[in-house]
Amino acid sequence: CYLVKKVYLCIRIIHIGYNLVCMTIAEFVKEMRKEYGLTQIDLSMKTGVGIRFIRELESGKPTVRLDKVNQVLALFEAEVGVQQKRKDE
């Protein structure tokens, strides 16, 4: 299945001193796009996904295709995937 509900992305962001920051994928994509100085159209063209998908992703649409999400995230050297839970959690 290629659908993703509202998922929080926890990522270490180098720019703020390796602190663990939790944000939605929508927030991450929008923040990184702006940091890279890209418009939504620029992001669409650079990643090969449609402008409508970018708009829906950034607005937090509750169901999006995971393969396309990763296609966008790849520009920012990030991806959505499964991580095995540590035993101490």
Side-chain angles (χ1 to χ4, degrees):
C1 183
Y2 290 104
L3 300 178
V4 177
K5 294 275 182 181
K6 187 170 186 176
V7 174
Y8 284 86
L9 175 68
C10 294
I11 189 167
R12 294 188 190 282
I13 300 178
I14 295 170
H15 311 334
I16 57 174
Y18 293 99
N19 291 328
L20 188 62
V21 175
C22 290
M23 61 181 68
T24 65
I25 293 172
E27 292 166 338
F28 177 78
V29 169
K30 189 172 188 175
E31 186 173 307
M32 293 303 291
R33 175 180 60 78
K34 288 181 177 184
E35 190 171 311
Y36 277 56
L38 301 172
T39 65
Q40 288 181 333
I41 293 170
D42 294 335
L43 182 59
S44 170
M45 292 186 334
K46 284 187 176 290
T47 59
V49 301
I51 184 65
R52 180 177 172 185
F53 180 82
I54 297 294
R55 288 182 179 140
E56 289 174 346
L57 179 61
E58 286 192 1
S59 70
K61 182 180 177 202
T63 56
V64 291
R65 286 185 44 180
L66 185 56
D67 60 328
K68 286 188 175 188
V69 171
N70 278 328
Q71 199 171 333
V72 173
L73 292 177
L75 181 67
F76 308 124
E77 298 180 12
E79 69 179 4
V80 173
V82 177
Q83 183 176 359
Q84 188 172 9
K85 196 172 185 181
R86 293 186 303 212
K87 292 182 181 186
D88 61 339
E89 292 184 304

